[in-house]
Amino acid sequence: MKPTTEQQTAIDNFTAGTSSIAVQAGAGTGKTSTIVEIARSTTAKGVYTAFNKSIVTDVEAKVPANVEARTTHSLAYRAVGHRNRARLSAPRMRSDKIARLLGLTQFNVPGLDGKPKVIQPGFQGSLAMRAIANFCNSDDPTPSAKHVPHVEGVDAFGTYATNDVIARAIAQHLPTAWADLTTEDGRLPYKHDVYVKQWELGKPRIAADFILLDEAQDTAPVMASILRKQRNVQLVMVGDSAQAIYDWRGAVDAFAYLGAQTTSYLTQSFRFGTAIADVANLILADLASPMRMTGLASIPSSLGDLSDPDAILTRTNGKAMATVLEAQRAGRRPYLMGGGAAILSFAHGAMALAHGERPVHADLACFDSWAEVVDYVTNDPQGDELALMVRLIEDYGTETIIAALGQMPKRESDADLVVSTAHKAKGREWDTVQLAGDFAIATDEHGNRKPTTDADRRLLYVAATRAKLVLDPYSSTLITDLMEADTLAPV
């Protein structure tokens, strides 16, 4: 490969020995090939790391022998995790048993209707372990109430008093949980994230002259902290801040978190042509990003109304499932990226509530009936995933949803349509892509426009840049609004 001028600049910054380097790589701009060329430019010992195993496996086959490709968990396992190999293979543990081990007992909190709501020990055990998982992902030194996840259905919209009570109650038991997890003969479920956190809390050292961090814009805080603790190691961060889409689960932008002495940009896309680059640039400008994309002139990209796209991308799980159902009714064979595990779990939880049973689904555990769930999202219109999932159940029913997921093709190659959330589409590309209508301008109950968040803009940018030849953006009011305001990209 002959590097482009932009790629050569990134390579030169590395070979100059700059201690920390940022490479902001736009969608489809040859990020992986740039990483490989950086690795080939030296005989020094390097480590390439990313969170996603499939990305690491792909790069591992391309980098020279002087560079070792490892996931975050692989690095931590080699340093710490192997000591607890036996605990990693232990069977699953029920939440009620976790509650007994932590000495959790039931307590009451006020419900939305003024009646006491019982917080069962098993649910507390689940909250405690989820809080530990949040702590393990963080750069915090100790677990605390801030790590306890939000409980749906106990507070009115915009209030958190009852959640605060629950968080404080659970937090009292987190030191006990962490002590068990960090003891060789502990009994609580020992997960892979635990040994990563143990490594970070110690004196983590990565034996390398340089470290290549991929997908730097979505770095777990615990890994960012590990990298910050390295000494006398050259750090190369590669990614795209405009594609940071996992802040909702605690990820940080390592470019900002760690800082860089030099920053270079890859803006020439090899995925799409000018028309799609123009849409990407409208979103980037709205995001106030310094990045501007250049489409490849030899790719005849266009915008158009698609009746038979290769992929339909959505903002939410709820819309993705609705799209699958609509496609099946039209006689198509859609494949839902990721298999729909989150939707299936919610549907089973809804079915349990409808039958008067206590659901195990975390977002439904504090509701006593399905009617209570419906009332909660109706009178508390936040437009979030819970409300969309409830609407999906109300519109189609649990049996229909479960059956639809069961008749889906097992492999993407057997489908005639891919349906995916933008999150799951990250890193993928298709010839023709249609954006779903839930990439929309949000409004309140009076029809007044709500401000668009940067998180929504970044997700929109990711979705729009999955297309290679034809992009159909016309169901997305977020894009059409930008196009109407721009004379170079009329609707």
Side-chain angles (χ1 to χ4, degrees), residues 23 132 240 284 303 339 353 359 413 429:
V23 182
I132 289 295
D240 183 359
L284 289 168
L303 307 183
L353 272 176
S413 58
E429 60 184 26

mmCIF file of all heavy atoms in Angstrom, residues 23 132 240 284 303 339 353 359 413 429:
data_model
loop_
_atom_site.group_PDB
_atom_site.id
_atom_site.type_symbol
_atom_site.label_atom_id
_atom_site.label_comp_id
_atom_site.label_asym_id
_atom_site.label_seq_id
_atom_site.Cartn_x
_atom_site.Cartn_y
_atom_site.Cartn_z
ATOM 1 N N VAL A 23 -4.941 10.106 15.982
ATOM 2 C CA VAL A 23 -5.295 10.011 14.571
ATOM 3 C C VAL A 23 -6.820 9.956 14.502
ATOM 4 O O VAL A 23 -7.425 8.929 14.826
ATOM 5 C CB VAL A 23 -4.682 8.768 13.904
ATOM 6 C CG1 VAL A 23 -5.047 8.747 12.415
ATOM 7 C CG2 VAL A 23 -3.171 8.735 14.086
ATOM 8 N N ILE A 132 -21.508 -3.402 40.808
ATOM 9 C CA ILE A 132 -20.109 -3.837 40.761
ATOM 10 C C ILE A 132 -19.599 -3.820 39.323
ATOM 11 O O ILE A 132 -18.461 -3.405 39.048
ATOM 12 C CB ILE A 132 -19.953 -5.247 41.375
ATOM 13 C CG1 ILE A 132 -20.140 -5.197 42.896
ATOM 14 C CG2 ILE A 132 -18.596 -5.843 41.026
ATOM 15 C CD1 ILE A 132 -19.073 -4.404 43.648
ATOM 16 N N ASP A 240 -12.448 8.059 15.961
ATOM 17 C CA ASP A 240 -13.194 9.201 15.433
ATOM 18 C C ASP A 240 -14.117 9.710 16.534
ATOM 19 O O ASP A 240 -15.104 9.060 16.878
ATOM 20 C CB ASP A 240 -14.004 8.765 14.209
ATOM 21 C CG ASP A 240 -14.767 9.910 13.554
ATOM 22 O OD1 ASP A 240 -14.685 11.048 14.059
ATOM 23 O OD2 ASP A 240 -15.446 9.669 12.534
ATOM 24 N N LEU A 284 -21.678 16.549 10.611
ATOM 25 C CA LEU A 284 -20.458 16.948 11.319
ATOM 26 C C LEU A 284 -20.462 18.436 11.642
ATOM 27 O O LEU A 284 -20.026 18.848 12.726
ATOM 28 C CB LEU A 284 -19.229 16.590 10.470
ATOM 29 C CG LEU A 284 -18.923 15.097 10.352
ATOM 30 C CD1 LEU A 284 -17.877 14.854 9.271
ATOM 31 C CD2 LEU A 284 -18.458 14.535 11.687
ATOM 32 N N LEU A 303 -28.171 9.904 -3.279
ATOM 33 C CA LEU A 303 -29.282 9.847 -2.338
ATOM 34 C C LEU A 303 -30.524 9.458 -3.121
ATOM 35 O O LEU A 303 -30.699 9.886 -4.264
ATOM 36 C CB LEU A 303 -29.495 11.195 -1.656
ATOM 37 C CG LEU A 303 -28.291 11.842 -0.973
ATOM 38 C CD1 LEU A 303 -28.716 13.134 -0.283
ATOM 39 C CD2 LEU A 303 -27.635 10.887 0.016
ATOM 40 N N GLY A 339 -29.529 -10.573 16.789
ATOM 41 C CA GLY A 339 -30.464 -11.613 17.172
ATOM 42 C C GLY A 339 -31.639 -11.173 18.026
ATOM 43 O O GLY A 339 -32.550 -11.952 18.297
ATOM 44 N N LEU A 353 -45.297 -10.490 33.631
ATOM 45 C CA LEU A 353 -46.149 -9.523 34.322
ATOM 46 C C LEU A 353 -47.617 -9.711 33.952
ATOM 47 O O LEU A 353 -48.511 -9.635 34.814
ATOM 48 C CB LEU A 353 -45.716 -8.097 33.973
ATOM 49 C CG LEU A 353 -44.629 -7.457 34.831
ATOM 50 C CD1 LEU A 353 -44.269 -6.089 34.282
ATOM 51 C CD2 LEU A 353 -45.065 -7.350 36.285
ATOM 52 N N PRO A 359 -41.298 -10.602 37.067
ATOM 53 C CA PRO A 359 -40.315 -10.738 35.980
ATOM 54 C C PRO A 359 -38.884 -10.611 36.492
ATOM 55 O O PRO A 359 -38.622 -9.956 37.507
ATOM 56 C CB PRO A 359 -40.652 -9.558 35.065
ATOM 57 C CG PRO A 359 -41.225 -8.527 35.985
ATOM 58 C CD PRO A 359 -41.965 -9.293 37.057
ATOM 59 N N SER A 413 -26.493 -14.141 5.924
ATOM 60 C CA SER A 413 -26.381 -14.482 4.502
ATOM 61 C C SER A 413 -27.648 -15.119 3.943
ATOM 62 O O SER A 413 -27.840 -15.169 2.729
ATOM 63 C CB SER A 413 -25.193 -15.427 4.290
ATOM 64 O OG SER A 413 -25.338 -16.611 5.073
ATOM 65 N N GLU A 429 -20.833 -1.986 6.638
ATOM 66 C CA GLU A 429 -21.169 -1.181 5.471
ATOM 67 C C GLU A 429 -22.015 -2.020 4.516
ATOM 68 O O GLU A 429 -21.905 -3.251 4.480
ATOM 69 C CB GLU A 429 -19.906 -0.679 4.761
ATOM 70 C CG GLU A 429 -18.990 -1.790 4.272
ATOM 71 C CD GLU A 429 -17.702 -1.262 3.670
ATOM 72 O OE1 GLU A 429 -17.274 -0.166 4.031
ATOM 73 O OE2 GLU A 429 -17.117 -1.988 2.825
#
